[in-house]
Each structure stands twice: as C-alpha cells, then as structure tokens.
C-alpha cells in the first residue's frame, strides 16, 4: 500500500475513533482519549505491518500485538472487530458489561486476539519481552537454512504510564541486553496521565533512557501516518536491537473541550462531547456505531491476507518435515504444549542412604533430569542460580549471537555449558524479579516453551503483581522459590519469608507446593511440569532435611493429592492429627514418634499443596482428616492465616505471628517453637481440652 495519505485512510482512522468513543459512552465507563489519539498508529500497524490471521488467532507464526496501555482496550477491540476477528458488534456494544467478551482491560483467553492480559501499567511491556524471547529461542532452535518456520515480530503500544512503571524499565533493560531486534514499541507519548499533564511527574527524556538500554530510538509525529509507516519499516530492518518509536500524539483528538487534557483519559466524553467530536471529525453526528462499508472492506482485507500468510507458513513447516522429520515433530510437540512420551521415566528417586538433602538440591537433580527429556524447558533466575540450584547444566546461555562485552571488560563468566546464542536455555534475568516474572508470563503465553523463573522465596514479593496476572491468564509458568522459611538462618528476617505462603495461597489459580523431602520434591516437579491450567510455585528449603524411609512411611506419590497420611497409629483411629508442610513435616514426625512411645495414637499428614487437596473428593479428604478427630495441630514456619480451616475450633496452629531473626537456622527454629518437644506439648494440651493461647 502506498504511504501517501488517501481519503480511505482518514475514513478508516475516524471509524476506529468513533467506534471506540461510542462504546465507551454506551458503557458510561472507560478511556476514550487514547483511541482518539492513537488511532492513526493502530491503523498503520494493523493494516500495513502486522502479520496476523483473524480467522485463526492462534496461528503460531503470527506477529504479536500487546496493548500495554490496557486502559485503552476499546482501541484493541475496535481493531479486532474491524479486521475480522470473532468479535461481533454486539460484543462491542457490551463493552465493560457482565459476561461480556469486551472487558474493561484486555484478558487473555476471553478476547480472541488478545495476546496477554494487560491493565496494570508496565506489565504488557514485560510480557512483550517474554514474547520476543520465546520467538528468538524457537527460531534459533527450529529454523534451518531454507526452512524458516519461526519468524515474527512483537509489537507493543505503550503509554506514558507504562514508561513510568519500574517493571517496564527492568524489562526494557533486559531486552536491550539481549538485543531483541524483533521487539518494537510504539510509545504513545500524549504527555497526559489520568490526573494531570505528565510533566507534573514525568519530564525525563525517555528516548535517551532507552538508547542507554541499547535500543534503537526514533522520534515521530504519531498523528502522521506516513511517519508512523516509515518508522515501523525502519524498526523492522534493525535486527540487532529492539526499537522504541516515540510518537507524539494528542489524547482526545477531535474533542473540542477535552483535546490534550486529562479529562479525556479516564472517563467518557459525555453525550454532547461525543456529538461535537464527531462533528469535528466530519462524522454523522446522529449515528452511533456507524461503520462505513468502504472502511470495513479496507479493514477486512486482513482476513484473506491472513489466510494466505497462514497457508504459506504451513507449507514451510511441511518443507521442514520433509527435510528433518524428527525436528518437525519436536516443533509440533512444543507448539502443542505437549510433553514427550516417557518424560518422567528417568527422574531421580532417593533413599535415606543418600543422606540429608535440602529440597533445593533435590530440585536441582530433578530439573537437570527433566531438561534432558523436555527440550523446551527454558528459564533462569534473578542472578541466583548458585543458590536456587536451577541452572540447566550443559544447555548454554540465552544471549544475542552479536553480543560482545565492552572494551576492557573481563571475560564473561557464568556460562552454563558455553554460549549457544538464542538457542541457550539458561536465561540470566539479572536482579530484576518483577520483570523476570512478567517475561515468564509472556514466554508461556507465546507458546512453544515451558518457562521457569527462580529466586529466594521472600523476593516473591517483588514478583507478586506479575504472578497475579499469570494466574488470571492461566499462564503455564513454573516459579522456583528457595530459602523458604526462618530455617535459612543467619541472613535474618529480611530474607526469611513469613507471610509469603499465606499471601500466595490467596491468589486464585496459583498452585503452591511446599514439599517435605527429596522425593516429595520430585513429585512436586512432576505436578508442575504436567499442570496446564495456570502457574505453579515450588517452595524449597536451603537447609538439609531427612529423606523419609518410604518402606516404613507412605509413598511420596501422595503429593499428587495435595495431602496424604504419611505416618499413622499402629491400630484403630487416631486421637490426634499433626498436619505439616515442608521442613516442618520431619519435626512433626519426631513428635509423632515421641507421642507413640507415650501411648498417644497420632497421625502425621503431609500437606504440600492446599489447592490439590481441596480438589479431591470429600471422601478422600475425610479419610485423611476424619471429621470425628477434633484434636489437630498444624505446623508451618509461616503465618498461621488460613490454617483454621484444617485444625478447626478445637485445634491449634503452630505458626509465626512475627518476623524471624538472624542466627543459625536450627537455633531460630528452636527459639520460635519449631521443635518436636513443643509440638508434643501443644498436642497434649489439645488432648486435655485446652487450647494454647
């Protein structure tokens, strides 16, 4: 298409604008300003550059578009409807209503064509870096000369607010480090935030900052479609750096009284202002949701173009299959999100003869074994591989093949089996936990890779906003969190997680597992790898723990039920149940043995995962925790919040309502009551009918 502005271009742009403001006005809720100002950029991108197939939104080699400024969701919905996605005019008219497919902010899995869930600013930028990383890894892994089966771009539309958020800064820094040349951000620099002009809080030179990150930066007039087209063309040609296009736009464009004001940001224009805006745009004032036939025909060209692009890709895949059937099958498996046959056959098994072992160390042995059979298991840590034990040995580092250290810098250290360029499976996220989590979500939603992200458990606080969105998106991400309790010792309360277990258990659709020994750790990893309905958090110890003798105790396979009877009384029903997780299970076992010697019939329940246990049939739950046994004690070195549901009104909770302390781990545990002796004392008090204060 010619870059010369044609009357059809203005017609299409104004169609986007008026459709968006009509939907916002009908809902009497939403953000009309950005669609009015950013419509020219959206039009140029979606009709001249974006390779997509509206009739197959999941075509694997499509370009990805991320509206990081999710408050402008009607801009995205307008583009999806106009270009032919499975979104009806009825859906547009139901914007922000109960049961609608057009929610207030884009939601992955609900809106066809929404690649990620956005809304909290900065998140989309972080997700987009993950999308771009996944594309580069898949391309480096599966492309062969003459058979380019992975080759697409990730486009982002971001706002001033996105540029202020720390997660976007962290992610942009990583993108520059990795030289992700197929990542292109259109920065809608309208210089307005929700409550003021941006210069009240934000007067930095964003372009200069991104140049310092290693990005290619272009400044344009975002209202000029020829300038937008040229900038996108230039950005696509830059293969060794991500690109930021700083586009000066005008929020509320065409609105006589709200143009370039924050009043256009967070509320409808109003019935009269909508009418006046349409007049200013040369639009019929008395028509709502009006789509000119010529404009719709122009947009719907994307349908046939998309089908052709999709068909061409399938022919390329057929060519790869003819040349290398085994590689093509691996690609098919990866894109389908399936695990290879027999993926769990060679996982380690442990016995007490292996000696005491921290669950992080058992996790290391497990992830190394998994990496050998699951070729698209890709991830890393926030600069903590030696501590989280999550390096994939021999699998190389993910890095740009064009990377060269600055002159005079020491040789690069930390290689895990040598550099493999973008095919490396170890991602060094640096000390950027929030971006790491957002990136992992993007990788998961891209498809083709199974990402994991690791750090100390207390730093999950830095990841939490991204974890929440991963859960909302049901993204298949695995988090590995080590140093899981006060038992880590002398680093002290800043590094000892106390409230994190309770806090993360409160997030819907996040599965959290805290295994008690090495074999439960293996089972936890099996669950995490096979789970496809949302993120999984694996919570591991730094300190060594006993490996349970499974010839005398229940098999670790009970982990899959979330809770199971690990040890029971010799005969008859128990009088007392001890429920514990993680490192405290071995302490509960010691207490059980002491109680047994004293003639008290007790049971130990290991409960590594509340979510899995709650998903079991009531009959199973009643078998593990018989309703008639009221004497119950829970033991967990964390906040007691929530344990009431399992111990009941007549039970007791041994937990922490305070922060930890800096001392050797065993001393901290002892001083704060996590000993067999204290458990026995509390248990006897419960049996005597006294609830500890």
């Amino acid at each position: 298409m010619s870059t010369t502005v044609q009357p059809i271009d203005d017609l299409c742009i104004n169609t986007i604008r008026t459709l968006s403001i009509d939907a916002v006005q009908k809902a009497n809720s939403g953000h009309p300003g950005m669609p009015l100002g950013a419509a020219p950029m959206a039009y140029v991108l979606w009709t001249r550059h974006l390779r997509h197939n509206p009739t197959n939104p999941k075509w694997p080699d499509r370009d990805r578009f991320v509206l990081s400024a999710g408050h402008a969701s009607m801009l995205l919905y307008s583009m999806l409807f106009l270009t032919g996605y499975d979104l009806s005019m009825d859906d547009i008219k139901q914007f922000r209503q109960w049961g609608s497919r057009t929610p207030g902010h884009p939601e992955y899995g609900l809106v066809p064509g929404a690649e990620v869930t956005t809304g909290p600013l900065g998140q989309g930028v972080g997700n987009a870096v993950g999308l771009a990383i996944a594309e580069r890894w898949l391309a480096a892994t599966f492309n062969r000369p003459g058979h380019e089966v992975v080759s697409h771009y990730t486009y982002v539309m971001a706002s001033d607010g996105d540029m202020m958020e720390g997660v976007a800064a962290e992610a942009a820094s990583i993108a520059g480090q990795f030289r992700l040349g197929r990542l292109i951000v259109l920065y809608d620099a309208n210089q307005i935030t929700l409550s003021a002009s941006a210069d009240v809080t934000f007067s930095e030179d964003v372009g200069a900052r991104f140049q310092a990150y290693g990005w290619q930066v272009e400044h344009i007039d975002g209202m000029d479609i020829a300038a937008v087209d040229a900038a996108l063309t230039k950005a696509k040609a830059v293969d060794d750096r991500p690109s930021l296009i700083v586009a000066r736009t005008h929020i509320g464009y065409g609105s006589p009284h709200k143009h370039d004001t924050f009043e256009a940001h967070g509320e409808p224009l109003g019935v009269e202002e909508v009418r006046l805006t349409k007049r200013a745009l040369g639009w019929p004032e008395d028509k709502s949701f009006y789509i000119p036939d010529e404009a719709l025909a122009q947009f719907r060209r994307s349908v046939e173009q998309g089908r052709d692009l999709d068909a061409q890709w399938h022919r390329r895949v057929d060519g790869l299959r003819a040349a290398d059937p085994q590689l093509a099958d691996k690609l098919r498996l990866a894109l389908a999100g399936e695990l290879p046959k027999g993926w769990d056959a060679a996982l380690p098994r442990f016995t007490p003869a292996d000696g005491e072992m921290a669950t992080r160390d058992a996790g290391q042995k497990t992830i190394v074994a998994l990496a050998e059979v699951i070729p698209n298991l890709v991830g890393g840590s926030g600069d903590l591989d030696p501590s989280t034990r999550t390096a994939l040995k021999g699998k190389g580092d993910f890095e740009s093949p064009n990377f060269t250290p600055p002159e005079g810098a020491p040789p690069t250290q930390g290689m895990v089996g040598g550099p493999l360029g973008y095919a490396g499976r170890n991602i060094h996220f640096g000390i950027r936990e929030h971006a790491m989590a957002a990136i992992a979500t993007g990788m998961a939603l891209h498809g083709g890779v199974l990402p994991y992200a690791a750090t100390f458990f207390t730093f999950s606080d830095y990841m939490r906003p991204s974890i929440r969105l991963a859960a909302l998106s049901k993204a298949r991400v695995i988090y590995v969190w080590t140093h899981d309790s006060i038992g880590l010792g002398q680093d002290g309360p800043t590094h000892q997680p106390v409230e994190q277990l309770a806090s993360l258990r409160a997030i819907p659709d996040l599965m959290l597992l805290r295994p008690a020994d090495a074999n439960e750790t293996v089972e936890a990893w099996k669950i995490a790898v096979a789970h496809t309905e949302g993120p999984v958090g694996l919570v591991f110890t730094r300190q060594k723990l006993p490996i349970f003798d499974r010839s005398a105790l229940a098999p670790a396979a009970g982990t899959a039920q979330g809770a199971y009877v690990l040890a029971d009384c010799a005969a008859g029903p128990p009088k007392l149940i001890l429920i514990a997780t993680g490192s405290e299970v071995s302490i509960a076992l010691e207490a059980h043995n002491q109680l047994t010697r004293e003639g008290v019939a007790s049971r130990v329940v290991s409960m590594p995962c509340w979510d899995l246990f709650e998903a079991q049939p009531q009959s199973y739950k009643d078998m593990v925790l018989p309703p008639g046994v009221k004497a119950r004690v829970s033991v967990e070195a964390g906040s007691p919040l929530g344990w009431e549901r399992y111990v009941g009104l007549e039970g007791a909770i041994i937990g922490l309502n305070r922060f930890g302390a800096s001392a050797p781990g065993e001393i901290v545990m002892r001083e704060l009551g996590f000993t067999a002796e204290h458990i026995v004392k509390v248990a006897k008090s419960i049996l005597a009918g006294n609830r500890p204060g």
Side-chain angles (χ1 to χ4, degrees), residues 172-229:
S173 176
I174 294 176
Q177 177 70 24
F178 291 154
R179 303 189 178 196
L180 299 175
R182 288 174 173 261
L183 174 63
I184 300 171
V185 176
L186 283 161
Y187 167 26
D188 178 56
N190 60 42
Q191 300 178 7
I192 297 291
T193 62
L194 190 141
S195 64
S197 298
D199 58 8
V200 172
T201 56
F202 192 59
S203 54
E204 69 180 49
D205 186 335
V206 174
R209 172 158 62 95
F210 273 67
Q211 281 181 320
Y213 289 148
W215 289 54
Q216 186 265 144
V217 176
E218 189 87 0
H219 292 264
I220 65 166
D221 176 357
M223 314 303 288
D224 180 343
I225 66 171
V228 173
D229 188 55

Side-chain angles (χ1 to χ4, degrees), residues 125 129 192 311 434 502 521 529 620:
V125 175
V129 174
I192 297 291
H434 196 172
T521 300
V529 164
Y620 177 81

Side-chain angles (χ1 to χ4, degrees), residues 539-619:
V539 185
F540 296 150
T541 68
R542 178 195 185 196
Q543 73 271 28
K544 293 182 177 181
L545 303 177
I547 296 175
F548 300 144
D549 181 359
R550 298 291 174 171
S551 65
L553 301 171
T559 303
Q561 278 72 52
Y564 64 103
V565 179
L566 178 65
D568 215 350
C569 45
K575 301 294 184 184
L576 168 78
I577 302 176
L578 304 176
I579 315 167
T581 78
S583 53
E584 290 75 72
V585 175
S586 59
I587 306 172
L589 270 176
E590 290 179 41
H592 163 77
N593 292 335
Q594 184 175 327
L595 289 164
T596 300
R597 289 192 295 270
E598 296 179 19
V600 178
S602 66
R603 165 181 290 183
V604 176
V605 171
S606 177
M607 188 177 277
C609 182
W610 288 16
D611 304 287
L612 286 171
F613 185 62
E614 290 299 326
Q616 302 309 308
Q618 191 61 46
S619 57

Side-chain angles (χ1 to χ4, degrees), residues 623-643:
M623 183 272 290
V624 174
L625 300 175
V629 182
K630 305 295 185 184
R632 303 178 181 183
V633 180
S634 68
V635 189
E636 185 172 71
S639 167
L641 188 65
W643 277 106

Side-chain angles (χ1 to χ4, degrees), residues 202-507:
F202 192 59
S203 54
E204 69 180 49
D205 186 335
V206 174
R209 172 158 62 95
F210 273 67
Q211 281 181 320
Y213 289 148
W215 289 54
Q216 186 265 144
V217 176
E218 189 87 0
H219 292 264
I220 65 166
D221 176 357
M223 314 303 288
D224 180 343
I225 66 171
V228 173
D229 188 55
L232 286 168
T233 300
K234 179 178 179 180
K236 286 159 62 178
V238 178
D239 201 44
D240 63 344
R241 284 174 293 163
S243 291
L244 177 74
I245 300 171
V246 182
R248 178 68 174 101
T249 62
H250 298 279
I251 195 168
Y253 178 85
S255 169
H257 302 105
K258 298 189 177 182
H259 178 100
D260 277 345
T261 71
F262 68 85
E263 285 88 352
H265 189 296
E267 59 186 31
L269 296 178
V271 173
E272 179 62 12
E273 193 70 10
V274 166
R275 188 180 66 79
L276 293 175
T277 301
K278 288 179 179 178
R279 178 187 296 177
L281 296 174
W283 210 253
E285 297 175 35
D286 58 344
K287 291 185 178 180
S288 293
F289 301 99
Y290 170 58
I291 312 291
D293 291 341
E294 309 96 300
L296 189 61
Q298 174 81 346
F299 283 115
R300 291 289 164 91
R301 291 169 58 189
S302 297
V303 172
E304 194 57 40
Q305 291 170 351
R307 288 192 179 119
D308 288 345
L309 291 167
D310 197 335
Q312 292 170 26
W313 177 78
H314 276 89
R315 288 193 291 272
R316 292 198 297 275
V317 172
D318 289 342
L320 177 66
R321 184 173 293 110
D324 192 335
Q326 189 175 20
L327 184 66
D329 193 55
K330 287 181 179 179
L331 174 64
R332 180 196 63 77
L333 211 62
L335 294 178
E338 298 175 7
L339 298 172
K341 290 180 180 178
W343 64 271
D344 58 348
L347 292 179
R349 289 291 180 266
F350 304 98
T351 69
D354 293 312
E356 292 192 340
M357 184 181 298
T359 52
R360 67 168 177 172
D361 292 324
Q364 179 184 39
K365 296 176 187 298
T366 307
I367 194 174
V368 166
L370 287 169
E372 292 301 321
V373 291
I374 303 176
N376 62 333
L377 181 64
V378 182
S381 76
D383 195 50
L384 289 169
D385 282 340
S387 296
T388 58
R389 309 285 205 260
T390 46
L392 303 182
K393 296 179 180 177
K395 303 305 178 187
D397 291 336
F398 178 92
E399 63 179 14
S400 168
N402 298 319
F403 174 75
T404 51
E407 189 175 346
T412 302
Q413 300 178 28
M415 294 294 184
V416 188
L420 289 177
Y422 287 135
R425 291 167 61 185
N426 292 280
I427 300 176
H428 293 277
F429 289 103
I431 306 161
R432 306 180 182 98
E433 282 88 357
H434 196 172
M436 174 177 71
I439 287 167
T441 302
M443 291 172 65
L445 296 182
H446 180 283
V449 295
L450 178 55
Y452 68 90
T455 187
F456 293 166
F457 191 34
T458 197
F459 299 152
S460 63
D461 286 347
Y462 287 1
M463 304 166 68
R464 186 182 173 87
S466 298
I467 295 167
R468 183 178 186 275
L469 286 179
L472 181 59
S473 308
K474 289 185 165 50
R476 194 179 180 185
V477 179
I478 299 171
Y479 307 114
V480 180
W481 291 310
T482 65
H483 297 57
D484 72 334
S485 76
I486 57 172
L488 73 89
Q490 290 170 309
D491 279 339
T494 60
H495 283 52
Q496 293 170 358
V498 172
E499 74 277 19
Q500 281 74 12
L501 282 165
S503 171
L504 291 169
R505 282 176 180 144
I507 299 178

